[in-house]
Amino acid sequence: MFQQLLRIISRKRSENLSQDHVFHRNFNNNYPLIERGEGVYLYDTQGVRYLDGSSGAVAVNIGHGVQEVVNAMTKQASHVAYVHTLRFETSLQHELASMIASLAPGDLDTVYFTSGGAEANESALKLARQYHLGNNDQEKFKVISHSISYHGNTMRTLSIGGDQKRKELYDKELHGGVIHLAPPYGKRSDFENLQEDEYVDYCLNQIEKKILEEDPETISCFLIEPIVGSQIAAFPMPDGYLKGIRKLCTQYNILLVADEVMTGFGRTGEMFAVNHWRVTPDIITFAKGVSSAYAPLGGMIVNNKTIQTIKDKWDGKFAHGYTFSGHPVALAAGKANINYLLDKELVPNVKQKGRYLRKRLSELMEKFTCIGDLRGRGLMLGFEIYKNKKTREPFNQSQKAAEELNQICIENGVVFYPGQGLIDQQPFDHILVAPPFVITDNEIDHMVDLLEKSLKIFERRFK
Ligand SMILES: Cc1ncc(COP(=O)(O)O)c(C=O)c1O
């Protein structure tokens, strides 16, 4: 009887193994099966090598296969893999929080841990609301954001972000209470003749008008990517814009939340992107680069005034929490990753390599008529893809130009982060280039050569 049962189980297992049980991101795609990663390269089971020109989802900042991080995670898991942070703590929680607080600007001194970016933003939205309720501002609940931005894939973060394609399925259930502003991306509209500072003043005036129209007493926070990542390919806020928003937020008692999920921990050549403009938000949210994706980790860094309200008005309790908040193995990855980042001086390296990468990419812009508008900071650069560069005529949306170009790149052994944006109802394609911080000049040359080879094929196919 027992033997028979074993035979049935074994038959079922072998049948199951030959069947595909994975709920894929896209059932029609063939994904290379990756076996190993080292530095800027990934290797599949056939031995094919891919240069990771986007650090995964702009996350593997220190590169693949760093043993120091793996060892730290293994050591922590062998001591204790998990504690419930509602009941217990680990010393790692204190160590990593104080490390992160020491790197953060101004009085952002207190760190809350999550497992990723959307959870981090959800936490910040709830904290902002609880802060205002604690101060008897009962009506403050609305969130301001840019209509071109990405803050996560949960229902609330999706409703606040601007990814129209991801949102369209959920029209009925996406919540209200969001004030969407046009991003300060004046090139496509009527503002091309304005100087940058005039344009920024114009935008800030429009924002103030909107705040007054909506009633400041109903607005809780402004959630903003200082350099917009996946939705518009590394588009930095113009000079003066963030400072102006900081001022408006202070004036109207709106918490400023900088979403540094993609930009945080050195990606743009500063530890946090807000440092480029010397702006201190009330909350910074982070994920990706905090652990270089060796483990799911994210969180928020909160300023003292917000924490004080939770302590004084809420008996010290933030009405929130996740099972995996402060997961010891993820924290071990975070601590080892940040030590590695600092010991190897990788953030200054980002500035240096970013300059070289920008130079090489701008040479490519000269050679091809289908790409242009190179922008970004550090090792977070982006460009747009056009049918006609002179008139900025985009490819037809259905041609999925960025996806197609990236697919050709993958066939040639390099991978980037493609996207499709929408400005003034005009769709356009873009590519984010964001390799790991450890990339060498030779590897940059190799990456750009592979992109060039792919662009030649792309131009032939799309002519
Ligand atoms: C700016 C920004 N915010 C939030 C998120 C969501 O992070 P996660 O996918 O870890 O939930 C992302 C992810 O790409 C992001 O780029």
Side-chain angles (χ1 to χ4, degrees):
M1 179 69 186
F2 182 63
Q3 289 302 325
Q4 198 183 355
L5 193 62
L6 277 183
R7 267 199 301 278
I8 293 171
I9 292 172
S10 146
R11 181 170 51 78
K12 197 134 199 272
R13 275 183 85 187
S14 61
E15 274 172 16
N16 271 357
L17 282 176
S18 61
Q19 243 179 294
D20 186 357
H21 294 276
V22 176
F23 196 148
H24 296 279
R25 297 285 286 250
N26 179 342
F27 280 103
N28 292 325
N29 277 4
N30 278 322
Y31 300 98
L33 214 50
I34 296 302
E35 192 173 55
R36 183 168 76 81
E38 196 180 326
V40 299
Y41 290 105
L42 291 168
Y43 298 83
D44 74 12
T45 46
Q46 308 295 313
V48 177
R49 190 173 80 156
Y50 303 87
L51 200 158
D52 190 356
S54 61
S55 308
V58 197
V60 190
N61 288 358
I62 61 167
H64 298 278
V66 174
Q67 284 311 303
E68 286 89 331
V69 181
V70 177
N71 293 343
M73 292 169 71
T74 312
K75 191 167 161 206
Q76 182 56 45
S78 71
H79 287 311
V80 59
Y82 176 72
V83 297
H84 185 194
T85 47
L86 203 54
R87 316 268 171 254
F88 300 106
E89 287 189 340
T90 55
S91 54
L92 257 178
Q93 212 174 323
H94 294 272
E95 287 159 23
L96 184 57
S98 86
M99 230 169 162
I100 293 174
S102 74
L103 300 172
D107 70 337
L108 275 76
D109 284 340
T110 307
V111 181
Y112 184 91
F113 291 110
T114 68
S115 303
E119 279 188 4
N121 284 330
E122 290 277 355
S123 307
L125 299 169
K126 282 177 146 183
L127 180 59
R129 176 76 175 134
Q130 204 178 325
Y131 166 81
H132 291 301
L133 288 174
N135 291 325
N136 266 329
D137 287 317
Q138 307 291 333
E139 300 305 318
K140 278 185 166 286
F141 73 98
K142 293 179 195 165
V143 179
I144 307 181
S145 70
H146 282 137
S147 57
I148 306 232
S149 61
Y150 181 66
H151 299 295
N153 240 335
T154 57
M155 286 295 187
R156 184 63 177 151
T157 56
L158 203 55
S159 65
I160 289 165
D163 187 329
Q164 296 310 326
K165 262 203 270 157
R166 289 187 203 229
K167 284 160 75 147
E168 65 196 7
L169 291 181
Y170 313 107
D171 256 6
K172 288 204 165 48
E173 54 273 66
L174 287 181
H175 325 263
V178 183
I179 303 165
H180 274 133
L181 303 173
Y185 186 76
K187 287 191 206 139
R188 276 160 204 273
S189 34
D190 308 328
F191 305 108
E192 275 192 335
N193 297 329
L194 290 186
Q195 297 296 322
E196 186 165 270
D197 55 345
E198 292 171 326
Y199 175 61
V200 165
D201 282 348
Y202 168 83
C203 292
L204 292 171
N205 275 332
Q206 292 299 106
I207 295 172
E208 183 162 21
K209 257 193 211 155
K210 189 76 186 163
I211 289 173
L212 294 171
E213 197 180 293
E214 290 278 344
D215 183 0
E217 294 312 312
T218 66
I219 304 174
S220 168
C221 66
F222 194 142
L223 180 59
I224 187 166
E225 286 177 87
I227 300 179
V228 185
S230 61
Q231 290 306 296
I232 195 171
F235 179 74
M237 294 300 107
D239 287 344
Y241 186 78
L242 269 185
K243 260 214 165 93
I245 285 177
R246 169 72 277 180
K247 218 165 134 208
L248 288 173
C249 283
T250 306
Q251 186 178 345
Y252 293 110
N253 188 22
I254 295 166
L255 293 193
L256 178 58
V257 184
D259 179 344
E260 297 243 18
V261 168
M262 192 175 275
T263 50
F265 297 95
R267 170 56 62 188
T268 68
E270 289 283 342
M271 194 52 77
F272 292 98
V274 288
N275 297 355
H276 288 290
W277 298 279
R278 297 205 177 78
V279 166
T280 306
D282 297 290
I283 301 172
I284 286 179
T285 56
F286 63 85
K288 299 182 188 263
V290 67
S291 65
S292 283
Y294 279 74
L297 181 63
M300 57 178 172
I301 325 171
V302 185
N303 69 359
N304 294 336
K305 107 178 160 185
T306 313
I307 292 295
Q308 209 53 49
T309 300
I310 298 297
K311 286 182 177 167
D312 295 346
K313 305 288 173 64
W314 289 101
D315 204 15
K317 288 190 205 112
F318 176 32
H320 188 55
Y322 299 106
T323 297
F324 293 140
S325 297
H327 191 286
V329 181
L331 298 182
K335 184 182 161 199
N337 168 66
I338 294 176
N339 276 332
Y340 192 86
L341 195 71
L342 299 175
D343 290 350
K344 306 269 176 211
E345 299 185 344
L346 290 182
V347 183
N349 200 48
V350 166
K351 270 200 176 120
Q352 206 190 343
K353 298 297 169 214
R355 273 196 293 272
Y356 184 60
L357 176 59
R358 185 184 275 270
K359 176 178 163 291
R360 290 301 327 272
L361 286 175
S362 42
E363 286 160 10
L364 217 56
M365 304 288 130
E366 300 294 311
K367 287 192 196 165
F368 290 89
T369 55
C370 63
I371 52 173
D373 261 315
L374 181 65
R375 68 274 188 127
R377 297 276 171 111
L379 282 173
M380 183 168 158
L381 301 179
F383 60 84
E384 295 185 23
I385 309 175
Y386 311 109
K387 203 164 171 182
N388 182 335
K389 190 155 151 181
K390 275 207 185 100
T391 58
R392 281 215 178 91
E393 184 193 347
F395 280 96
N396 193 312
Q397 207 170 355
S398 63
Q399 287 178 287
K400 297 191 166 87
E403 278 289 344
E404 289 296 325
L405 173 60
N406 196 49
Q407 197 48 45
I408 298 169
C409 287
I410 293 175
E411 284 155 24
N412 284 311
V414 64
V415 58
F416 298 107
Y417 196 124
Q420 214 168 46
L422 191 73
I423 301 254
D424 297 343
Q425 302 310 316
Q426 273 246 34
F428 66 103
D429 285 273
H430 48 77
I431 295 275
L432 200 50
V433 182
F437 300 176
V438 290
I439 195 163
T440 62
D441 286 356
N442 281 343
E443 287 165 342
I444 289 178
D445 288 338
H446 182 48
M447 181 173 78
V448 175
D449 289 348
L450 292 174
L451 176 58
E452 179 167 2
K453 185 175 166 195
S454 308
L455 278 164
K456 283 181 185 156
I457 300 171
F458 175 83
E459 275 204 335
R460 275 202 302 276
R461 270 191 213 164
F462 278 77
K463 275 246 157 87

